Amino acid sequence: MIFVENALGQYILYYDILTRLEPDRRLYLAIRQETYSELFQEPIGKILLENQRLCLLVFGSKREVVLQWIP
């Protein structure tokens, strides 16, 4: 889970910088389907999505296919 926390920290840093430098761009965090199921289906993960600061690209790790875009 430490990897996810680090990724979220980097995402927030990039988000804040990108918002200032290129406000029309949208930043997505790519995560495996397993991570999405473990974290973002739980109440704490849902809070992260509800504030609409976090956009996700969910992919299947075996076939490396995009399964879901969550703006």
Side-chain angles (χ1 to χ4, degrees):
M1 198 56 72
I2 291 174
F3 173 76
V4 174
E5 291 172 2
N6 288 340
L8 286 172
Q10 277 188 314
Y11 177 91
I12 291 168
L13 175 66
Y14 294 149
Y15 177 89
D16 289 346
I17 292 169
L18 193 59
T19 299
R20 180 170 292 190
L21 298 177
E22 297 187 45
D24 294 334
R25 285 193 184 245
R26 181 167 247 168
L27 182 64
Y28 282 82
L29 176 65
I31 61 169
R32 294 179 304 132
Q33 173 65 35
E34 299 82 6
T35 303
Y36 177 76
S37 297
E38 292 171 8
L39 179 61
F40 292 99
Q41 295 297 315
E42 297 295 321
I44 192 78
K46 289 181 180 181
I47 291 171
L48 291 171
L49 294 177
E50 285 174 2
N51 71 10
Q52 297 181 341
R53 183 178 187 185
L54 183 64
C55 298
L56 299 177
L57 181 153
V58 182
F59 67 94
S61 57
K62 291 182 182 174
R63 292 181 27 221
E64 297 182 355
V65 184
V66 175
L67 302 173
Q68 192 173 6
W69 291 85
I70 303 172

